[in-house]
Amino acid sequence: MDLLVDLKKGKRGAIAKAITVVENDQKESKKLLKKIFKDSGNSMIIGITGPAGAGKSSLINKTAIAMKKLGSKPAVLAVDPTSHVTGGAILGDRVRMSESTDSGTYIRSIASRGATGAVSRSLRNSIRVLEYAGFNPIIIESVGAGQTEVEISNIADITVVVFNPNTGDSIQTIKAGLTEIGDIYLVNKSDLSGTNQLFDAVRDFIGDSERNPIILKTSVKKNSGITVFAKTLKDMMKSKKKFKDEKDRERLETELKDIVLNNIKEKIDDMLISDKTFSKYLKKLQSKGIDPYDAGDKITKSLLK
């Protein structure tokens, strides 16, 4: 109970401990979530994504400070696409965001995992911890890497896609994905040459879509466009608030499906370890006495009896 009291007060040690529980201890995580669930769902979630090297961490650092000046209390969760073992984004993000950390923004890296909806599970529950601790908005940073982006955009109320003009194949990068999920598109590092061409390309390729996203330029180096971006986010948080209940219902449906699928997968994994039918058909398959599909069908039938 002391943890909950300290969490409600926004104490950093309690937040860190709660998120560690959420990430690493499923049994304790379930107990914690039962206590905080009713007090969650009140913060706006901003997903910030884009290719590696787009300058997201430095941008978030400056944007968090600007949002704080506008009266918000932001927190940041950086999704590490590697693991806790290798460290990945953890050190880099913390270093690049040290200025906003000093001003009171809470920043935490969380690792993505391999299970169904694992990024979502860890992320959803970490968001709930931060909501309980009184942060709003909660900014999610992730590298533009396929499936993770779909999950992030499903979790976020506002999705921001960041590009920079230094990629060389900027038009191809835009076409490769990320074009259907953004509410705001940023051409970051706008102090570099090629900014105007990339901005025009983004506007021509994405700006004419039915969603009519906002397209902006920012430069951390020159500290330009950051305040405009922060104000745009603040305004969008207000306008998106009316859609939040509907989006939350969709998110909870997706989450429930993820949990059920994960429970079934774990159950089946346990069953297969001790299942004689599985062992029998595995040996047949390994000796080429049966093909994989026939073996799979027969094992499935035996499990569903």
Side-chain angles (χ1 to χ4, degrees):
M1 284 306 292
D2 286 347
L3 178 65
L4 283 184
V5 171
D6 287 347
L7 201 54
K8 200 68 177 167
K9 290 176 182 173
K11 290 191 177 178
R12 286 171 178 266
I15 297 167
K17 188 175 179 183
I19 292 178
T20 299
V21 165
V22 156
E23 277 202 283
N24 301 315
D25 190 334
Q26 217 169 335
K27 192 177 176 184
E28 289 302 312
S29 177
K30 285 176 183 177
K31 288 181 190 174
L32 177 65
L33 262 295
K34 277 182 184 177
K35 291 168 184 168
I36 70 172
F37 179 72
K38 284 187 178 177
D39 287 326
S40 67
N42 302 312
S43 302
M44 295 299 285
I45 315 302
I46 300 169
I48 299 187
T49 187
K56 294 183 293 296
S57 297
S58 303
L59 174 71
I60 291 168
N61 175 50
K62 294 286 187 189
T63 304
I65 294 166
M67 292 194 84
K68 209 163 168 44
K69 286 176 184 172
L70 293 171
S72 298
K73 189 184 177 184
V76 180
L77 289 169
V79 177
D80 175 6
T82 54
S83 71
H84 283 311
V85 180
T86 56
I90 293 169
L91 180 62
D93 283 338
R94 290 265 173 90
V95 169
R96 286 189 288 272
M97 295 187 200
S98 57
E99 192 182 349
S100 60
T101 308
D102 294 343
S103 75
T105 303
Y106 185 85
I107 293 166
R108 171 75 176 235
S109 291
I110 61 171
S112 58
R113 306 272 166 82
T116 303
V119 171
S120 300
R121 184 177 66 232
S122 195
L123 198 50
R124 282 171 184 138
N125 293 334
S126 298
I127 287 168
R128 284 168 178 149
V129 167
L130 291 171
E131 285 178 319
Y132 192 82
F135 290 97
N136 185 24
I138 295 156
I139 299 169
I140 315 296
E141 181 203 349
S142 76
V143 175
Q147 184 57 32
T148 305
E149 302 324 303
V150 178
E151 290 193 33
I152 299 297
S153 64
N154 285 339
I155 284 170
D157 297 297
I158 298 167
T159 302
V160 181
V161 180
V162 184
F163 297 118
N164 90 68
N166 220 16
T167 53
D169 59 345
S170 52
I171 308 300
Q172 285 82 352
T173 305
I174 295 167
K175 289 182 182 177
L178 304 174
T179 57
E180 294 167 12
I181 63 171
D183 296 295
I184 301 171
Y185 287 87
L186 286 188
V187 176
N188 193 31
K189 301 188 180 180
S190 62
D191 49 288
L192 298 175
S193 61
T195 294
N196 291 337
Q197 294 95 308
L198 178 57
F199 184 84
D200 290 344
V202 174
R203 188 184 55 203
D204 294 345
F205 190 71
I206 300 168
D208 289 339
S209 68
E210 285 178 27
R211 286 180 6 270
N212 197 25
I214 293 168
I215 304 166
L216 300 170
K217 293 178 193 174
T218 51
S219 169
V220 173
K221 192 176 179 182
K222 292 197 171 179
N223 203 23
S224 68
I226 308 290
T227 305
V228 172
F229 176 45
K231 284 179 178 169
T232 303
L233 285 174
K234 194 95 191 279
D235 291 343
M236 195 172 277
M237 282 167 65
K238 284 180 191 167
S239 65
K240 291 269 188 180
K241 189 81 177 164
K242 57 178 174 276
F243 304 112
K244 188 165 175 63
D245 286 347
E246 184 187 341
K247 189 134 188 178
D248 281 347
R249 282 195 291 272
E250 289 171 9
R251 283 193 277 239
L252 287 168
E253 182 182 345
T254 303
E255 180 176 14
L256 189 57
K257 284 177 182 174
D258 283 347
I259 291 167
V260 171
L261 286 171
N262 228 49
N263 288 347
I264 290 168
K265 183 183 178 298
E266 284 173 11
K267 190 96 174 167
I268 289 172
D269 283 344
D270 289 342
M271 287 166 72
L272 290 178
I273 289 165
S274 58
D275 187 62
K276 288 177 182 174
T277 309
F278 180 79
S279 304
K280 182 176 88 175
Y281 284 110
L282 176 61
K283 283 173 186 167
K284 274 192 175 185
L285 176 63
Q286 288 168 338
S287 63
K288 301 287 175 76
I290 192 171
D291 69 76
Y293 292 103
D294 273 354
D297 287 344
K298 288 181 189 304
I299 293 163
T300 305
K301 280 175 188 171
S302 76
L303 287 173
L304 295 176
K305 274 180 184 173

